[in-house]
Every structure is written in structure tokens, then in C-alpha cells.
Amino acid sequence: NRLQSHLNLSSSITDRSKAKNISPKKPDLQQPNAKVSKEGLSSKTAGVLGYINEENKTNQAKPLNDKQTSEILPTADPDKQYKFALNFALKGDYDKAEVAFKEFIKKNKKHKRTQDAQYWLGRVYFMKKSYEEAAIALAEYNSLYPDDKRFQETTLLIAESASNFAPKDQLCEILTQSLDFMEKPTPNFVKKINILKNENKCPGE
């Protein structure tokens, strides 16, 4: 019950070269009640947004049934397959949208629409209130596409997702790092992060 990937915001750091080789140590999963080590993960740690231990399973995504895990994309060119998957998301059929975008990403790894599919997969998880999965998918998106114009939007979604399942101390660290690591944050970004900090009674600097 822990976030399976550290939330990487390396693209927003001034010195990106230092962020490439950062690999936080994972806990020993053989030890009962093992806790994720936060050693070296200060609020200023380059390239790392932090680890999150999930204690509340309320918002965990339910496993898909056999029908949902089957391939659903039509036999068509990638552009039409992407539109097919996107249509599910726009109609609010998030379960099918999740399956379709996953299938698209798997089958079309080098297609120009794969970037958009990864973005929408994170958005779909968020709309399903599968917040841990949303944080993971969007963090992966930020890592793969650091120069995308939606970077601040996806970072904010990561922070909002974390606010729904992360322990308070780690959430406050994530929110602080979100501001520290963001280059030229918009007033709206700063406002929303500060609202989350105030709602969770995070200590000031």
C-alpha cells in the first residue's frame, strides 16, 4: 500500500542534470509493516517530489473484470483509435476509457498521440477518484514529457490527488516541493497549492 513510483518533477528544476540519477531507496518488502525511508528526501531534494504511504484504502481503484480487461480498440489507424478512446472519456465512461488508453499506449508507443493518451489516462484515474493511480500516471507523464505545456496542470493534479490519500506530513512536503520545483508558476498554480496547504494545516516555511 505505498506509491509504486516516486513523483518525479525533475523537469522543473533549474539544474536538471543532477536529477537524472536520483533513485530513492525502496523499503524492504519482506519486513512486516516496513516504512518507506525518507532519508535524504528533504523539501529541497533535487528531482524528487517524495514518497507517499497510503494507509486509507477508500479511494483504491477496484480491479477490472475480465470483460473490461479485453481489448476494445477498433481495428483502425492510431488516430482513429485515439479518438475512440477519447470519446469514452468525454462521455464519462471512465472504465472503458481507462482500458482503451492503456491499450493504445501499449500498442502505439511511438505514435504522436501516445503523449496525449498518457495525459488522459491520468485524468481518467483522477475523475474515477483513483487518486493513487492518478498520481502515478501523471508523475510518469511529467517525467516522460517535461516540456509539455500541461506540466503545471498535471503537477497540480498530482498534488490534489495526493491530498486524498497521503499522510499529512508527506502531503505537506509534496505541496512545498511542488512550489519549490516549479519554474515560473502561474498565480493560479500558487493559489491552489496554498489553498491545499491551508486546508491541511501545513506549517509555514
Side-chain angles (χ1 to χ4, degrees):
N1 294 322
R2 66 177 178 82
L3 192 60
Q4 297 299 309
S5 173
H6 65 281
L7 306 182
N8 190 342
L9 291 182
S10 59
S11 64
S12 56
I13 305 172
T14 302
D15 187 357
R16 298 181 186 177
S17 62
K18 295 181 180 179
K20 294 181 179 178
N21 297 319
I22 293 177
S23 299
K25 295 181 179 180
K26 296 182 179 179
D28 185 355
L29 299 181
Q30 301 301 317
Q31 297 179 359
N33 301 319
K35 295 183 178 179
V36 176
S37 172
K38 294 173 63 180
E39 181 180 356
L41 296 185
S42 67
S43 60
K44 304 294 184 180
T45 301
V48 180
L49 183 55
Y51 274 101
I52 301 170
N53 290 323
E54 182 202 7
E55 297 179 355
N56 188 340
K57 298 182 180 180
T58 303
N59 294 320
Q60 278 191 321
K62 296 179 180 179
L64 298 172
N65 57 41
D66 292 338
K67 183 177 181 180
Q68 289 174 305
T69 55
S70 63
E71 296 184 348
I72 63 174
L73 290 180
T75 301
D77 64 76
D79 285 315
K80 290 182 179 179
Q81 289 182 337
Y82 171 78
K83 291 179 181 178
F84 181 83
L86 181 61
N87 189 50
F88 285 128
L90 296 179
K91 291 192 302 183
D93 193 341
Y94 300 126
D95 286 334
K96 288 183 179 178
E98 176 190 347
V99 176
F101 282 126
K102 283 182 175 179
E103 183 182 347
F104 182 89
I105 293 168
K106 182 178 180 181
K107 290 183 174 181
N108 304 283
K109 293 181 179 180
K110 295 184 179 181
H111 193 268
K112 62 182 180 179
R113 285 295 191 180
T114 302
Q115 178 174 345
D116 294 323
Q118 181 72 39
Y119 164 80
W120 274 104
L121 179 60
R123 289 296 303 265
V124 163
Y125 278 134
F126 187 84
M127 296 304 297
K128 289 178 66 175
K129 298 183 179 181
S130 300
Y131 294 117
E132 184 174 353
E133 288 81 0
I136 293 171
L138 292 168
E140 181 178 358
Y141 177 85
N142 279 2
S143 179
L144 291 172
Y145 310 107
D147 297 321
D148 188 80
K149 62 183 180 180
R150 294 169 287 199
F151 188 85
Q152 289 198 30
E153 176 191 346
T154 52
T155 301
L156 185 59
L157 285 171
I158 291 171
E160 291 182 297
S161 296
S163 70
N164 285 281
F165 69 91
K168 180 181 175 180
D169 59 335
Q170 295 182 17
L171 172 60
C172 290
E173 184 176 359
I174 288 169
L175 297 176
T176 297
Q177 291 175 9
S178 296
L179 286 175
D180 289 347
F181 293 161
M182 185 61 62
E183 292 181 346
K184 299 179 181 179
T186 63
N188 184 60
F189 180 89
V190 175
K191 178 181 178 181
K192 289 188 176 182
I193 291 294
N194 283 329
I195 287 174
L196 289 173
K197 292 179 73 173
N198 290 334
E199 288 177 346
N200 290 278
K201 298 180 173 58
C202 295
E205 289 292 329

